[in-house]
């Protein structure tokens, strides 16, 4: 028996989904609650491992045991983690390997005055930005490209091509949101993409320079890595 579990969390005070045993992780909190209810050790598989500080609206995990009432799990979970659904699946289901795509959102608060409500929730960016250039960068991402430039040089990745199904910026006053859906992602890929796109929109590099990076340029050719606290794992599709 395999169960699919959907959850959300505020990554502010977590060392990521999984890290060293002496660090607070989302995985450890979830498995502790599952083990308490099921009265035996439970291990989980996750759709997308998030780094320290990254949030999730629609993370998905799976475990080999019966489905539980989300309310029972939430009663044992800390306030910064919440389960929204827990459903039985076919025994072949695996939260990571069964996923067709994952979607992320990166939020930017674009204003000269910081927002106390977006603290640890969005990147504060007071500089001038060309929003049309941001959108042009996003549109250039669609399709299959080599994203070597957008992940750390020290990596376990062997293949660097990814297929981007959707990429666009949405604008709601001072709040800018970058939405991207792809078949798979590499470590820090979205954060480096955002950091580089912001450089284009701030006239620090050209759109042509950005698109050239998609041919497999080295990491040193791309821009800075945007902070983790603006990134959200939005959903996982199966």
């Amino acid at each position: 028996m395999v169960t699919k579990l959907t959850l959300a969390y505020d990554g502010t005070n977590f060392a990521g989904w999984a890290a060293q045993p002496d660090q607070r992780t989302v995985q450890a909190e979830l498995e502790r609650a599952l083990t308490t209810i099921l009265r035996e050790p439970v291990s989980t598989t996750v759709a997308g491992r998030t780094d320290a500080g990254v949030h999730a609206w629609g993370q998905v995990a799976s475990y080999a045991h019966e489905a539980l009432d989300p309310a029972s799990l939430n009663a044992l979970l800390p306030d910064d983690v919440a389960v929204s659904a827990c459903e039985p699946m076919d025994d072949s289901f695996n939260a990571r390997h069964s996923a067709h795509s994952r979607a992320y959102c990166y939020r930017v608060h674009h204003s000269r005055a910081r927002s106390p409500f977006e603290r640890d929730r969005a990147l504060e960016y007071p500089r001038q930005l060309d929003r049309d250039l941001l959108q042009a960068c996003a549109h250039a991402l669609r399709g299959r490209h080599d994203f070597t430039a957008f992940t750390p040089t020290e990596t376990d990745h062997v293949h660097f091509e990814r297929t981007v199904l959707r990429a666009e910026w949405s604008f709601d006053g001072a709040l800018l949101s970058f939405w991207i859906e792809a078949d798979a992602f590499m470590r820090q890929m979205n954060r480096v993409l955002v950091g580089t796109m912001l450089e284009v929109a701030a006239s620090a590099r050209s759109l042509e320079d950005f698109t050239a990076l998609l041919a497999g340029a080295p990491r040193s050719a791309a821009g800075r890595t945007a902070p983790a606290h603006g990134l959200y794992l939005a959903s996982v599709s199966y």
Side-chain angles (χ1 to χ4, degrees):
M1 179 181 295
V2 174
T3 292
K4 174 188 174 186
L5 188 151
T6 306
L7 69 158
Y9 51 84
D10 175 355
T12 305
N13 296 313
F14 284 107
W17 173 265
Q20 298 301 316
D22 59 341
Q23 295 179 304
R24 185 171 185 256
T25 68
V26 181
Q27 182 179 29
E29 296 286 2
L30 179 60
E31 291 181 355
R32 185 180 299 115
L34 288 167
T35 297
T36 298
I37 296 175
L38 295 171
R39 298 185 179 182
E40 64 179 77
V42 177
S43 61
T44 57
T45 299
V46 68
R49 293 181 61 169
T50 50
D51 291 334
V54 176
H55 316 290
W57 292 324
Q59 177 69 278
V60 175
S62 58
Y63 63 92
H65 218 296
E66 66 186 87
L68 300 173
D69 181 354
S72 299
L73 280 169
N74 289 331
L76 296 174
L77 287 168
D79 292 342
D80 45 9
V81 184
V83 172
S84 58
C86 201
E87 53 192 309
M89 304 294 289
D90 184 270
D91 286 349
S92 64
F93 179 80
N94 179 286
R96 181 176 181 82
H97 300 300
S98 299
H100 298 307
S101 66
R102 298 156 182 81
Y104 285 83
C105 176
Y106 195 98
R107 303 170 75 248
V108 177
H109 183 246
H110 182 218
S111 173
R112 295 185 64 185
R114 62 181 174 83
S115 168
F117 304 107
E118 297 297 344
R119 181 174 177 269
D120 295 329
R121 301 289 181 275
L123 169 64
E124 293 287 354
Y125 200 90
R127 298 178 59 188
Q128 290 279 20
L129 288 174
D130 185 324
R131 298 188 178 190
D132 289 336
L133 282 175
L134 282 179
Q135 201 69 280
C137 286
H139 290 173
L141 296 175
R142 297 171 183 173
R144 191 159 186 84
H145 304 285
D146 186 327
F147 288 93
T148 301
F150 301 97
T151 194
T153 301
E154 298 297 325
T155 179
D156 293 329
H157 293 294
V158 177
H159 303 290
F160 296 87
E161 289 191 349
R162 298 292 188 270
T163 300
V164 175
L165 307 172
R166 171 195 177 196
E168 63 183 349
W169 284 85
S170 64
F171 309 110
D172 183 9
L175 185 62
L176 284 54
S177 300
F178 172 60
W179 295 89
I180 183 169
E181 181 181 359
D183 57 349
F185 291 88
M186 293 181 290
R187 181 168 170 259
Q188 297 184 2
M189 175 176 156
N190 291 321
R191 293 164 57 196
V192 182
L193 281 171
V194 170
T196 310
M197 285 189 282
L198 290 174
E199 291 182 6
V200 174
S203 301
R205 67 170 68 219
S206 68
L207 176 61
E208 292 71 24
D209 175 72
F210 177 81
T211 56
L213 296 173
L214 300 172
R219 172 65 186 89
S220 58
R224 295 182 178 180
T225 306
H229 66 262
L231 184 61
Y232 298 73
L233 173 53
S235 62
V236 184
S237 296
Y238 293 93

